[in-house]
Every structure is written in C-alpha cells, then in structure tokens.
Amino acid sequence: MAEQFLHGVEVAEISSGPRTIRTTKSSVIGLIGTAPDADNTVFPLNKPVLIVGSRREAAKLGATGTLPMAINGIFDQIGAMVIVVRVEEGEDEAETIANIIGGVDAQTGDYKGVQAFLSAESIVHSAPRILIAPGFTHQRPNNQANPVISSMLAIADRLRAVIIADGPNTNDQDAITWRKDFGHARVYVVNPWVKIFTGHEEVVPPSPYVAGLIARSDNENGFWWSPSNQEIYGIVGTARPVDFTLGGYQLPSKFSERK
C-alpha cells in the first residue's frame, strides 16, 4: 500500500446537515461522560456519536449528568465537531469511573468507555484529537495517579490526540502533586476550575471550555497557534484567585515547586 503524505492542515467536511460544515481535523473533540436522561436511541451507551455544532442535537442528552454541561461549555466557544461517548452512571463515583475507563466487552468484542474513541473513525468517520472527561480526571484515589488519565494515554498516542485534564481545584501544591503523576506530553492540565452563571453561580470543570477554545483557535488561526492569552467565553471567573505577573518568579506555585 502506498504511503499517504500530507502537506498542511487536514480539513473535515460534513455535508449531511442543512449547511456544509468544514473544520480542521485537529479540532475534533472527544467527550466522555454521563447523561442519565439522554435519548438512548440517539446516544446509546458506549457508542461514539457525532454532534456537529448543533445545540438542538445536544439537547437530546437531557439535563443531568456531566455531558450536558460539557457540551454547553464547548459550544460557548465554537460550534465544534464533538464525538460523544455516553456511559452509565454508577451507584457511586468509583463505579462511574470504572464505566468511564471501560474496556472491551468479552461477549461482543465492542469497545466500552474511553476505548470507544478508537472505533469513532469507523462509526462516525472522524477521530477525536482533543480528549476530555470532565469531572473524572481530577481525583487521585489512594494518593495515586488518576486512573482515567492513565487509561486515556495509550488512546491519545494511537489517535495522536491531546488530553485536556482538570486539575484538583484545591491549592497550588495539590496541583503540582497531581501534575507530577504524569510526565506525558499529551496531558494538558487545567487548574483551577471555572465559575459559570446559570441563574446562580456554579464551579465547573474547565476542560470543556478549554477544549472549545483550542478548537476555536485551531479553526480561526491554525493548529500552530497557542490557546494562551485567548478569551474563554461563558465563564465569569476562576474558582479561586490566580496570581500572575509577567516574568514574575515570586508566585505561590513557584514557592511550592521549589520546596
């Protein structure tokens, strides 16, 4: 088989809707989470489903679980292509995390959980390059590395994707400790969390907003353009104050890092 050499930016074109949508392949987002009230015919469990910038389609996820909030955060930035994998919400957080991690069904051979992203190309004809699991990447159970991120690393390598991970949202030292669990270049940590206003103020994981920001930047400026110093739409602030001075070294995070 002849090798395919690509020069420049790959573009995905979706023409099945009322208008053709073109987006760079580097900005396709893979989102996994829960949505207990979702329309099961549209969003079956453990199956990748493509949403192309449509809040109307996203509304079929219902209003509960982690997916509806995440989709809104992405679409606040841009009408991105999002590959959604819905998993069953467990009786507790540990069971839900196990469902997020997933694996391979022993009877059918189907992928489950984050592994389902590997089948996205054959099912929805697109593969995610930005992976997020809002609400499931900040934990360090038993003071060990987050199991969801650990499971996603091999997938990110295969898909040539980046993982946008939510930090612990506590303090600088905890964030540094969390980051030391992963030296992988494909893990992009965001901390602290962000505040949004939906009739009342809420603190939510920032990964959907950052994933949407990266998708917006890729489409407007090119994948080589840094998402740094770009405005994030739809948030009213960070969960806690962040010290920042250009060239500043005397910051709390720097003190913690030197200890």
Side-chain angles (χ1 to χ4, degrees):
M1 180 182 293
E3 289 189 61
Q4 181 182 21
F5 293 94
L6 300 173
H7 302 275
V9 179
E10 290 184 83
V11 175
E13 183 172 290
I14 306 296
S15 57
S16 58
R19 63 185 180 88
T20 299
I21 294 177
R22 302 184 72 200
T23 186
T24 58
K25 286 192 174 183
S26 65
S27 65
V28 179
I29 299 169
L31 165 65
I32 188 167
T34 62
D37 298 334
D39 184 335
N40 193 56
T41 60
V42 179
F43 295 99
L45 293 173
N46 297 299
K47 299 293 183 184
V49 177
L50 179 64
I51 302 178
V52 187
S54 171
R55 290 186 186 267
R56 181 174 297 177
E57 284 299 307
K60 296 174 184 177
L61 285 166
T64 61
T66 62
L67 291 176
M69 178 280 299
I71 281 286
N72 285 334
I74 293 169
F75 287 170
D76 280 348
Q77 315 310 311
I78 188 175
M81 289 177 60
V82 184
I83 297 172
V84 176
V85 174
R86 183 173 74 95
V87 302
E88 188 171 6
E89 189 171 77
E91 293 294 326
D92 55 26
E93 184 179 72
E95 185 177 340
T96 303
I97 287 177
N99 292 338
I100 293 285
I101 294 170
V104 179
D105 190 295
Q107 295 183 333
T108 65
D110 291 339
Y111 288 126
K112 301 172 66 176
V114 295
Q115 302 295 326
F117 287 130
L118 296 174
S119 62
E121 186 72 59
S122 62
I123 295 176
V124 300
H125 310 297
S126 188
R129 295 293 178 84
I130 304 170
L131 303 177
I132 58 173
F136 303 106
T137 60
H138 65 282
Q139 302 90 338
R140 295 187 73 247
N142 301 316
N143 291 320
Q144 296 179 336
N146 181 273
V148 173
I149 297 296
S150 297
S151 299
M152 294 174 78
L153 285 174
I155 297 168
D157 276 338
R158 288 183 61 178
L159 297 176
R160 293 180 296 168
V162 62
I163 302 166
I164 310 298
D166 302 303
N169 194 42
T170 50
N171 55 55
D172 292 331
Q173 186 58 59
D174 286 348
I176 292 169
T177 300
W178 190 106
R179 188 63 182 92
K180 287 180 178 178
D181 288 335
F182 300 102
H184 205 291
R186 294 192 183 277
V187 179
Y188 186 117
V189 188
V190 186
N191 194 74
W193 291 17
V194 295
K195 294 178 182 178
I196 62 173
F197 189 81
T198 55
H200 63 281
E201 193 173 86
E202 294 182 69
V203 174
V204 298
S207 55
Y209 294 86
V210 174
L213 170 64
I214 293 174
R216 188 180 82 213
S217 179
D218 281 4
N219 279 277
E220 293 179 355
N221 304 310
F223 70 88
W224 54 85
W225 196 278
S226 172
S228 301
N229 299 317
Q230 306 293 318
E231 184 177 1
I232 300 177
Y233 305 148
I235 68 171
V236 296
T238 55
R240 60 184 175 85
V242 178
D243 292 346
F244 175 74
T245 305
L246 283 174
Y249 190 71
Q250 304 297 321
L251 302 179
S253 60
K254 294 298 182 183
F255 283 122
S256 299
E257 196 171 8
R258 293 203 304 271
K259 289 181 179 178

